[in-house]
Amino acid sequence: MTNIVLLNNVDHADLTVAIGHGPEFGDAVNQTLVFPTEWEEAQREYPILFRRGGDGRFQSVVLLGFERDENLFLGDGVWDGRYVPALHQRGPFSIGLQASEDGAEAEPMIHVDLDHPRIGGAQAQAVFLPHGGNSPYLDAMSGVLRRIHAGVLIANPMFEAFEAHDLIQPIALEVTLSETKRYTLDGFLTIDAERLGALEGPALHSLHQRGFLQAAFWAVSSLANVARLIDRKSRRSPLP
């Protein structure tokens, strides 16, 4: 259940939000959505893969583990990574379009889910200052939400451009930990590195001008993190 309302410093003057990470906050997942606006940070830590959403459109995800509900970056109340995906930073906050009374175009406004498990609890951060201004925590969350909102807007045009240049291909990851422990991860897609490297002329210029070329290279380079993920798995579950 959710109870999402428009955030304001009158009704929510004493609102606090728990920080930290754990299964109770929905962090125990083996993959999570990321947006193009966070690929630069994400590609340094996680493999970035593509999949099709329920509407048939492409989405990007980062791989966090090999088994169901396995997040190899999740420790004792912390996320052990240099970058935490935005959806796991934002907590109970989201962007909603709020229509103005004068009929002007709806503006994105911060909303809060008052039934979210992060509301209140131990190690909680204040959302507003005593005099009503935004706390540093809320300012940080505003930045996270802006990144998500911008990422949602750019995702479809970016993937359409990748498709137009035939850059997206299926990928099946075969992960072998031992003679008896193997994982096959299918249903994912990625950027075809050879086709990307062969681009030239107008195609190359078009992707570069729109800011999509660098993103494509980030997606390709991120696949090297599969080996690092295997190392994490081996350290957490030593094999005989």
Side-chain angles (χ1 to χ4, degrees):
M1 296 295 292
T2 59
N3 181 17
I4 299 174
V5 298
L6 180 65
L7 182 68
N8 68 83
N9 62 3
V10 175
D11 297 327
H12 311 123
D14 299 322
L15 187 68
T16 60
V17 177
I19 58 174
H21 294 276
E24 67 273 26
F25 300 133
D27 294 324
V29 291
N30 68 358
Q31 60 183 270
T32 194
L33 285 173
V34 290
F35 303 94
T37 43
E38 54 183 328
W39 281 14
E40 182 176 5
E41 291 86 356
Q43 58 92 23
R44 300 187 182 109
E45 194 77 55
Y46 316 102
I48 298 173
L49 301 167
F50 311 151
R51 69 186 187 196
R52 288 192 183 272
D55 59 0
R57 294 180 175 180
F58 287 110
Q59 302 171 327
S60 56
V61 301
V62 288
L63 193 63
L64 305 174
F66 300 114
E67 300 183 27
R68 183 180 178 87
D69 301 330
E70 178 184 60
N71 183 346
L72 294 170
F73 296 86
L74 193 59
D76 185 13
V78 298
W79 189 294
D80 181 25
R82 291 168 292 179
Y83 177 74
V84 178
L87 287 182
H88 294 267
Q89 292 185 55
R90 71 172 184 174
F93 302 107
S94 60
I95 289 287
L97 296 179
Q98 189 73 18
S100 59
E101 295 181 357
D102 59 6
E105 185 177 350
E107 295 184 3
M109 304 287 286
I110 297 179
H111 288 63
V112 61
D113 178 6
L114 297 177
D115 289 341
H116 194 279
R118 286 191 181 274
I119 296 296
Q123 296 183 330
Q125 293 282 324
V127 174
F128 293 105
L129 299 174
H131 57 74
N134 291 359
S135 69
Y137 169 72
L138 181 56
D139 285 339
M141 292 303 100
S142 297
V144 171
L145 294 175
R146 285 194 297 271
R147 170 170 280 196
I148 292 173
H149 185 64
V152 169
L153 295 178
I154 199 176
N156 286 338
M158 184 191 71
F159 282 118
E160 288 170 359
F162 290 164
E163 277 196 290
H165 297 294
D166 201 24
L167 292 178
I168 299 178
Q169 68 169 4
I171 182 174
L173 297 175
E174 302 285 343
V175 175
T176 300
L177 296 179
S178 71
E179 292 183 358
T180 59
K181 198 70 169 179
R182 296 183 179 88
Y183 300 94
T184 300
L185 307 176
D186 50 22
F188 292 112
L189 305 103
T190 188
I191 294 291
D192 188 311
E194 290 188 6
R195 291 175 182 171
L196 178 63
L199 287 178
E200 56 185 19
L204 198 63
H205 179 73
S206 174
L207 288 175
H208 175 68
Q209 286 293 101
R210 301 177 70 184
F212 300 156
L213 183 62
Q214 184 63 71
F217 279 107
W218 285 332
V220 171
S221 66
S222 77
L223 296 181
N225 290 319
V226 172
R228 298 178 63 192
L229 201 60
I230 293 172
D231 287 342
R232 280 182 174 266
K233 177 69 171 177
S234 297
R235 291 197 303 269
R236 184 165 296 194
S237 304
L239 298 172

